[in-house]
Amino acid sequence: MSYCLNPICPNPENIAFSQRCAACGSQLLLRDRYRVMKLLGQGGFGATFLAHDQILPGEPSCVIKQLRPSGTSPQVLQMARELFEREAKTLGRIGNHPQIPRLLDFFEEKEQFYLVQEYISGSTLQQEVKLNGTFGETGVKQFLSETLPLLQYIHEHKVIHRDIKPANLIRRSQDARMVLIDFGAVKNQVTQVAANQSAHTAFTAYAIGTPGFAPPEQMAMRPVYASDIYALGVTCIYLLTGKTPKDLEYNPTTGEVMWEHLVHVSDHLIGVLRKMLEVSVRSRYQTAKDVLKALEIEPYLESLAQGLLVKSDKEPTSNRVEDSVLLTSHPSVGATGVAQVAAAIRARRAKDAAAKSSLPNSHSHTHASPTSQSKVIRRLDSETLIKAYQKGRRDFALHNLNLLNLQGVDLSDTNFHSAQLQNANLQGANLHNSDFGKASLTRANLRDANLSKAYFNQADLEGADLRGADLSHAYLSNANLRGANLCGANLTGAKITDEQIALAKTNWMTIRPNGKRGLL
């Protein structure tokens, strides 16, 4: 089918490969290359269409957004045009992230504005919940661990999305990764166009985002980065309950969403979500990094609470009891208090470990540094990890996996955030789309491993063997690659700097991020 883009066409659907619309006579091939197949959605000031690019081999799918203001006044048209151009500039600046659609084209034709984007095949979170039901705590944690680094990325580029909601988050079919779409409501350094009150009234629904997901300061046209954190928190409540903001009750005195009685999750996660949803901006998490930091402590506390009384007998009983009291005597403490308690326990235990290591004949039982030791919560052997993965477990964050032999094992889509994988043998393993953020992989054997779309932000890969590894579209920002062997590795589309590559070993078989082979 060919679809007509004329906004006033009485019957836009046409038979396939038609040159002109049978109803209004408009030309159907946009810019002599894009054939529109169907309408995907309409609202605000734009209509979105699925199209095929007939110039490129294979005629790949793409998304075309057409400027269609709901009002006709010059003020509304000008504001719509400003927002439309802003979306194009924003996507052009930040669209190289694997979880953001790429901008492919942007043009004006016959006084109509068009924006062409990469087509993301998959289901929105809204569709997913309606089809499969609500998420559990693990699902929400996984969702946050994937979207918060993305939020941090766009905020670091001075962009506020302003319309984060389940309908704007798509789980991409090819790799199950979350993709954030619709940057039409973004706010960045572009100055908003002043308009009269009637223009604002006509355009408010689009300009400020979606009511219920947008916090009070955004509804008052004063969005900040923390506004996106609030919207992400509301999205989590939707995932847990299946209820949209209009279906939830609000405290008439404070304006806070009343949701806690509807969910069955840990007190810690409730504390994190509660702070994400603070009505007061000052009381809310200020950055995505703050939320990640709050979430990272939970697996440590859970394991610590379970394992304090089964540690090695070499540890004084009084210390174990003291730690138990510290954790169990504060049942109502919030996320901040829990963090302080855990920090105190870690600090004391690290001090004890340091004192022990200074004694004669003391021996270290791990290759991790004292700092990483205090974070790693559990030691797993290869067999236990593989069996856990085969049973559906995908979270091994903060675990001690040093020296494990996982050669050729399928561990795709797994969370290894802040884990210890020093000297681990992962040769030929499938680690596609796995999270190694802040993980230690020094001297790890990753030769010929599938690391496509893996996340290595702030990971330590010093001395790692990555010969022949597939690192296509991997996120390697801030990763330490000093001495890493990238000979023959595929870095096509990877998020990595020339400075990082210069610290590693490469050869003429190394494929650079631009897809070309060769040395620097």
Side-chain angles (χ1 to χ4, degrees):
M1 185 180 75
S2 295
Y3 199 92
C4 180
L5 289 173
N6 181 0
I8 59 173
C9 180
N11 185 20
E13 296 183 359
N14 291 267
I15 60 174
F17 307 113
S18 301
Q19 295 302 310
R20 290 192 173 275
C21 178
C24 69
S26 298
Q27 186 174 340
L28 293 175
L29 198 61
L30 180 63
R31 220 182 194 189
D32 295 325
R33 69 180 296 178
Y34 301 112
R35 181 171 294 279
V36 178
M37 307 304 292
K38 65 177 181 179
L39 176 71
L40 293 176
Q42 185 171 355
F45 73 91
T48 307
F49 305 89
L50 175 65
H52 292 305
D53 186 344
Q54 297 192 336
I55 294 295
L56 295 179
E59 299 186 1
S61 298
C62 58
V63 170
I64 294 179
K65 183 177 284 189
Q66 179 191 45
L67 177 64
R68 284 189 179 182
S70 55
T72 57
S73 69
Q75 293 92 341
V76 170
L77 181 62
Q78 180 62 18
M79 184 178 288
R81 185 172 294 162
E82 285 286 337
L83 287 171
F84 194 72
E85 292 176 351
R86 184 186 304 172
E87 179 174 9
K89 290 177 181 177
T90 300
L91 283 171
R93 189 166 80 250
I94 68 173
N96 61 341
H97 191 282
Q99 291 171 265
I100 297 174
R102 288 175 295 141
L103 178 67
L104 303 177
D105 206 351
F106 175 60
F107 56 91
E108 180 179 357
E109 186 171 292
K110 296 180 181 178
E111 298 184 347
Q112 295 284 336
F113 287 85
Y114 296 95
L115 184 151
V116 184
Q117 293 174 257
E118 171 189 11
Y119 173 64
I120 306 298
S121 175
S123 301
T124 67
L125 277 182
Q126 186 178 45
Q127 293 169 334
E128 196 170 302
V129 169
K130 288 182 178 178
L131 181 64
N132 302 322
T134 57
F135 284 34
E137 178 164 351
T138 302
V140 169
K141 287 181 190 173
Q142 183 62 36
F143 165 72
L144 286 172
S145 71
E146 192 170 357
T147 52
L148 284 167
L150 170 60
L151 207 57
Q152 183 179 341
Y153 170 82
I154 67 173
H155 290 171
E156 286 173 350
H157 284 75
K158 303 188 186 308
V159 171
I160 306 171
H161 188 277
R162 295 208 294 179
D163 201 18
I164 292 175
K165 58 183 179 181
N168 283 341
L169 285 154
I170 295 178
R171 191 181 300 279
R172 188 163 45 205
S173 299
Q174 66 189 74
D175 58 8
R177 176 164 285 191
M178 277 293 137
V179 178
L180 181 60
I181 64 169
D182 199 349
F183 283 75
V186 296
K187 179 178 175 61
N188 50 30
Q189 292 178 315
V190 178
T191 303
Q192 291 193 32
V193 176
N196 61 30
Q197 183 61 39
S198 62
H200 271 302
T201 302
F203 206 66
T204 293
Y206 189 84
I208 63 172
T210 303
F213 288 93
E217 76 277 357
Q218 185 174 322
M219 299 295 286
M221 304 299 287
R222 292 190 295 272
V224 293
Y225 296 123
S227 302
D228 283 345
I229 292 174
Y230 181 95
L232 194 65
V234 179
T235 299
C236 289
I237 301 308
Y238 174 79
L239 296 180
L240 288 167
T241 67
K243 294 181 180 293
T244 60
K246 65 181 178 61
D247 297 323
L248 297 170
E249 296 181 357
Y250 289 78
N251 186 312
T253 304
T254 65
E256 295 175 339
V257 184
M258 299 170 65
W259 55 273
E260 295 177 28
H261 63 289
L262 300 172
V263 303
H264 300 284
V265 297
S266 68
D267 290 341
H268 181 77
L269 182 59
I270 285 178
V272 172
L273 293 176
R274 187 187 296 143
K275 191 165 183 177
M276 292 177 73
L277 292 165
E278 284 282 358
V279 172
S280 168
V281 179
R282 290 186 178 182
S283 301
R284 201 181 306 153
Y285 290 115
Q286 297 302 297
T287 68
K289 198 171 183 178
D290 291 339
V291 188
L292 277 170
K293 187 181 295 185
L295 285 170
E296 282 177 356
I297 200 171
E298 182 170 17
Y300 173 82
L301 287 174
E302 289 175 350
S303 179
L304 182 62
Q306 294 169 6
L308 279 171
L309 299 179
V310 293
K311 294 290 184 182
S312 169
D313 289 335
K314 294 180 181 179
E315 182 181 357
T317 305
S318 59
N319 288 351
R320 301 198 302 269
V321 173
E322 181 184 343
D323 291 344
S324 298
V325 172
L326 276 171
L327 285 173
T328 58
S329 62
H330 296 79
S332 60
V333 70
T336 303
V338 171
Q340 292 171 346
V341 171
I345 294 173
R346 291 199 302 270
R348 186 186 58 70
R349 291 169 71 84
K351 183 178 179 180
D352 291 344
K356 283 180 63 179
S357 63
S358 66
L359 295 174
N361 301 321
S362 64
H363 299 282
S364 173
H365 296 283
T366 177
H367 294 273
S369 65
T371 301
S372 60
Q373 279 187 50
S374 64
K375 290 180 66 178
V376 175
I377 61 170
R378 186 180 176 191
R379 172 74 184 176
L380 286 182
D381 57 43
S382 302
E383 185 178 356
T384 302
L385 186 148
I386 293 170
K387 285 183 178 179
Y389 180 88
Q390 291 172 344
K391 290 180 180 179
R393 182 174 173 183
R394 297 293 182 269
D395 190 353
F396 299 98
L398 293 163
H399 279 59
N400 181 351
L401 308 173
N402 291 332
L403 300 170
L404 292 198
N405 181 12
L406 299 166
Q407 184 173 352
V409 175
D410 180 10
L411 294 170
S412 57
D413 299 292
T414 300
N415 181 13
F416 292 107
H417 199 278
S418 297
Q420 295 292 320
L421 288 149
Q422 297 174 27
N423 293 290
N425 182 8
L426 292 157
Q427 182 173 348
N430 180 11
L431 299 162
H432 167 77
N433 201 39
S434 290
D435 183 355
F436 292 96
K438 296 185 180 179
S440 177
L441 292 136
T442 55
R443 301 176 301 281
N445 180 4
L446 292 157
R447 190 171 181 175
D448 298 320
N450 179 7
L451 296 163
S452 58
K453 298 186 179 178
Y455 183 78
F456 289 99
N457 187 39
Q458 299 184 47
D460 188 356
L461 287 154
E462 183 168 354
D465 186 352
L466 291 154
R467 286 177 291 174
D470 182 2
L471 287 157
S472 57
H473 303 286
Y475 190 89
L476 288 151
S477 288
N478 304 310
N480 177 19
L481 291 169
R482 186 178 300 276
N485 193 336
L486 291 171
C487 293
N490 180 9
L491 293 166
T492 303
K495 181 68 175 177
I496 187 174
T497 65
D498 289 341
E499 290 77 8
Q500 287 176 288
I501 297 176
L503 293 173
K505 299 175 184 177
T506 57
N507 65 359
W508 66 276
M509 288 292 289
T510 302
I511 303 178
R512 303 289 304 284
N514 61 7
K516 297 181 180 179
R517 293 185 185 274
L519 301 169
L520 279 172

